Amino acid sequence: MLSGRVVGVATATVKHPSMAGWKLLIVQPYGPDGQTPDGDPVLAVDALGAGIGERVVITSDGKGTRELMHSETTPVRWSTIGIVDP
């Protein structure tokens, strides 16, 4: 799990069938201090309704993401699992 900030949304005209109807967020992960960017932004599937500027908790747990999306063949790696209160 990582914490990060939503810095944008992504739109895809062609995508894997398992991604149909899912909102895609661009999330900048942060280090343990919650202030320092940690690596490049990642693309995460959002089931929680997070918006730009919000802090979120994301996971790269493949099994959890496959269960969330009801697909054993989805290429999605990252998904949101929480929105951090301000």
Side-chain angles (χ1 to χ4, degrees):
M1 288 187 296
L2 294 174
S3 68
R5 183 168 308 277
V6 179
V7 296
V9 295
T11 303
T13 56
V14 177
K15 54 189 170 186
H16 191 272
S18 68
M19 298 170 68
W22 288 95
K23 182 177 177 184
L24 303 174
L25 300 177
I26 302 169
V27 179
Q28 174 61 62
Y30 285 95
D33 65 1
Q35 303 292 325
T36 307
D38 185 16
D40 294 325
V42 297
L43 190 66
V45 167
D46 178 46
L48 305 175
I52 295 174
E54 288 190 290
R55 292 187 63 87
V56 293
V57 179
I58 57 175
T59 182
S60 65
D61 174 30
K63 182 177 180 184
T65 300
R66 287 190 302 274
E67 288 177 6
L68 172 72
M69 298 182 74
H70 305 290
S71 173
E72 286 298 316
T73 61
T74 186
V76 176
R77 176 174 178 178
W78 294 95
S79 60
T80 57
I81 59 171
I83 299 174
V84 180
D85 286 337

